[in-house]
Structures are given as structure tokens and as C-alpha cells.
Amino acid sequence: MVSTRSQTAKATLLEVRVTAVAARARAVTPLLFLSTKLQLDDFLSSSKAVKRLALGVESLHITIKDKSVSVMALHQCLLRTKNLTDLELALPQLSTAGWICLFRDLYLPRLRYIRANAPHTTLAAFLMRHPRIMYLSVECCNRSKQACDLGAVSLPSLTAITGPISCIALAISSQLLTYVSVSCHRQRDFSTPLLDFTTKLSPLHASRITQLSIPFDVGDIHFARHISGAMPQLILLEAIEKPCQQRIIQAHAWSNVVEWSRHLALMKNLKTLGLLTSTFLARNDVHERALVMAWTVHHPSLEHLALWHGFGSPGYKMHYWHFFDGTWSKRRACIDPVFNFFFMSHMSTRSSS
């Protein structure tokens, strides 16, 4: 009797699993996340049985750390999802040879967004086959003296780019580029990212950028003056203060409130400002409101202000302030928020609607 019941239960569980797999195969989803080898294998099995499943995927995000994952399986996945517009590949275990195999003979005619941790030599060859890319996000290529291979790639449709300045500087020449996010991966990168960025840009290219995310050294007390002088046309600015444990900081970029607010006001089109710092800016909401009002008292257009207090400390928060009907009010507080351009843009859009 026990054996029969056990067999019946196993059969029922098997039937449920088969039904669930079949249901997933029939359900065409435009957004797909694959973070394990099992998920990848399951998708390949389902898409082999139902071809429209793979063709219906428009946004694919593969973030697999498992070293046992097959490059051929990954390659098959990309070959089948030929209608992709967005592609994210985070594969830290993949060797340079593996990336070459992954991108070999791969062409995705609708691709507009790509974020990948691929070696830049391999990625450059892939990008040359995809000149209509509009958004590119890359990591550091770890080259200190040689020029990055991405500099030889022409992406005339590029509107947004994220990466180290040494890797993305030449790509900024795109006439359509309006958003730049400078990332730093080494401690020494944080010492002069703003200087490197502004010196590698022609005035014409700099004038086209309206949205900028950039780290700055904690000791750069003149950050606002530098950025307002180089790019006064900015509409969105994310400033990420890099903490330094090797020295005692006497002052921050905003310590001189008069200079800070005056140079912010010189960016007359600025509507959204985000500041991330490991420092706690205010003791309470009353103190923070006074700080916000002092910073923005002369600004003609600022509407959204996001302050990340005590970044790196347990339970740090982001406070979001919105200017409406002549006054600043705190709209929301988020614990351990994600600091990026899309988060800021979505917040601005929602608060305006």
C-alpha cells in the first residue's frame, strides 16, 4: 500500500512538473533572466520544442557564474533569440577564448542595448557588426598604456554609454550621445576622473551631453565649479563622492554652501541632481530641509534632488526631494537603493506625473 501511494505521489509530481514546463514553453515572454545553468538548459529545451518562445524574447539577461556552463549552450541561446533588442551578459567565468566562441558569427539585427563584461578586443569585433547600437555599457579593459580597442569602433547611433573614461572617450564622438556614465574600477581612477573626462572631450562633444554620472575624489572641494564650467548645459547630474580611508578630510565639495549653490545655479537647465556620499549630511529632516533650501535657493530649474547619506554604512538611506509649487518636500526614503541613471530618471518621471 505504501509503495503504491509513493508511486502515485511521484507520478503526480512528475505530471505537475511536465505541465509546468509545457506551460512555460507556451508562454512567450519578451523579458528573460537566466542566472543558473539549470535555467539555461530548461530554456534551450523549451525553445527547441516551441521555436516561437525564443523568437519572442526581446530583452535577455544572462548572469551565470557557474564554471560548468557550456559556451556552446550560451551560443545556442543567443543564436535562437535573434529578435533581441536588449542584451546583458555577466559571465565572469568565461575566458577570452570562450568569449570569442560566444560571439562567433553572431548577428542580432534588432540589437540596440548591450551590457557585457567581455574583453574589449572581442567586444569591439562584435560591435562592428552592430553599428546601430544605442546604449553600451562596459567594464574596465585593464590596459594602462595601450589604447582600448573600443576606440576603433564607430557607433553613429549611440545615445548613452557607461564605462571607464579610458575605454569610452573616443566613443563619445557620436553626434547623438546625450548620456554618459563614467565608472572607476581602480583606486587611482578616482583621483582625476573629471579632469580626464573633460580634457578628452572636445567642446562640441561636451556640449551635446545633457545627462552625466561621474565619480569625484572626496578631496575635490571645487567639483561644482569644475563641472559647471565644463558642462553648463546638463539636465541630469549624478555625483558620486569616493571615500578615502588614507587621509582625514577637512572639507567636502558642498562645505562652502555659497560656492556650491552658486555653481549649481550656473547649470541653468539642471533638473535632477543626485549626490552619493559616505558622509551623513544631516542630523534629521529639519536639518536636511534647511540644507536642501540653502543649496537650491538661487537655482532656476532644479526639481528633483536625491541624497544618499552614509553610503557604505549599515542601513544607509536615499532621501528624495521634489520641488513643487514653490517649496521642497521629501517624497520618499529608500534603504539601500540602487544608484544609477535609470532609477533617477524613473523617479523624476513618476514624480512629475
Side-chain angles (χ1 to χ4, degrees):
M1 178 69 73
V2 176
S3 177
T4 303
R5 287 181 178 177
S6 177
Q7 290 177 355
T8 303
K10 288 182 179 179
T12 302
L13 288 173
L14 180 60
E15 183 179 351
V16 169
R17 174 167 172 74
V18 170
T19 303
V21 172
R24 288 199 301 272
R26 289 193 299 270
V28 176
T29 173
L31 179 62
L32 181 62
F33 291 89
L34 301 175
S35 57
T36 66
K37 181 178 181 297
L38 180 61
Q39 290 176 344
L40 175 63
D41 293 340
D42 189 30
F43 173 73
L44 289 175
S45 297
S46 301
S47 60
K48 185 176 182 180
V50 184
K51 296 189 184 309
R52 66 186 181 90
L53 176 65
L55 295 177
V57 177
E58 298 175 359
S59 183
L60 176 61
H61 305 262
I62 305 179
T63 55
I64 301 178
K65 298 180 180 180
D66 190 345
K67 294 182 179 180
S68 66
V69 68
S70 165
V71 176
M72 292 306 298
L74 292 168
H75 186 61
Q76 277 299 312
C77 181
L78 295 179
L79 287 177
R80 293 181 189 180
T81 52
K82 59 181 66 176
N83 290 327
L84 288 179
T85 58
D86 304 347
L87 176 60
E88 178 185 11
L89 296 171
L91 304 166
Q93 82 288 357
L94 213 59
S95 64
T96 299
W99 280 104
I100 292 174
C101 292
L102 182 62
F103 283 151
R104 180 173 293 147
D105 300 325
L106 181 64
Y107 175 61
L108 303 168
R110 298 184 181 181
L111 192 66
R112 298 295 178 269
Y113 169 105
I114 182 167
R115 179 177 184 176
N117 67 314
H120 290 187
T121 301
T122 309
L123 183 61
F126 175 81
L127 292 174
M128 287 180 181
R129 299 194 296 271
H130 299 80
R132 298 175 69 183
I133 290 289
M134 299 176 66
Y135 184 98
L136 173 65
S137 179
V138 298
E139 296 183 0
C140 184
C141 66
N142 294 319
R143 287 189 177 184
S144 57
K145 296 182 179 180
Q146 290 180 304
C148 178
D149 291 289
L150 295 179
V153 181
S154 175
L155 298 172
S157 299
L158 197 68
T159 60
I161 191 167
T162 298
I165 188 60
S166 57
C167 299
I168 67 174
L170 293 178
I172 292 174
S173 61
S174 169
Q175 295 185 3
L176 300 179
L177 191 71
T178 58
Y179 172 73
V180 174
S181 176
V182 178
S183 61
C184 294
H185 297 268
R186 297 165 297 188
Q187 181 65 36
R188 62 188 176 90
D189 290 339
F190 283 94
S191 59
T192 58
L194 183 57
L195 178 62
D196 286 349
F197 180 67
T198 53
T199 54
K200 290 180 179 180
L201 281 181
S202 69
L204 177 61
H205 296 150
S207 67
R208 296 191 182 113
I209 298 171
T210 57
Q211 300 169 93
L212 175 67
S213 174
I214 192 166
F216 67 100
D217 184 67
V218 67
D220 185 2
I221 61 174
H222 300 300
F223 170 78
R225 180 173 60 180
H226 295 155
I227 202 69
S228 63
M231 310 184 79
Q233 77 284 352
L234 287 178
I235 296 174
L236 181 149
L237 172 63
E238 294 176 355
I240 309 168
E241 186 191 54
K242 176 63 179 175
C244 182
Q245 299 176 351
Q246 282 73 37
R247 65 182 190 271
I248 298 175
I249 303 302
Q250 301 293 339
H252 295 268
W254 57 86
S255 295
N256 186 330
V257 176
V258 174
E259 180 179 340
W260 174 257
S261 61
R262 180 164 61 88
H263 288 292
L264 287 181
L266 291 177
M267 293 181 279
K268 298 180 180 180
N269 298 322
L270 192 67
K271 292 187 178 297
T272 302
L273 172 64
L275 173 65
L276 183 148
T277 174
S278 58
T279 303
F280 286 94
L281 295 170
R283 296 185 300 272
N284 50 48
D285 284 355
V286 175
H287 186 204
E288 185 169 308
R289 177 185 291 276
L291 194 69
V292 169
M293 293 181 67
W295 287 4
T296 61
V297 63
H298 299 300
H299 207 287
S301 61
L302 199 60
E303 297 177 355
H304 312 286
L305 185 59
L307 302 177
W308 277 260
H309 294 254
F311 182 77
S313 301
Y316 77 98
K317 293 183 178 180
M318 185 282 293
H319 291 171
Y320 172 70
W321 293 81
H322 176 56
F323 187 76
F324 179 72
D325 200 20
T327 186
W328 284 96
S329 60
K330 189 165 74 171
R331 299 292 294 269
R332 60 174 67 87
C334 304
I335 298 177
D336 294 342
V338 177
F339 186 81
N340 58 46
F341 162 68
F342 298 103
F343 180 71
M344 291 284 291
S345 298
H346 291 167
M347 288 181 62
S348 300
T349 304
R350 289 170 186 166
S351 60
S352 301
S353 57

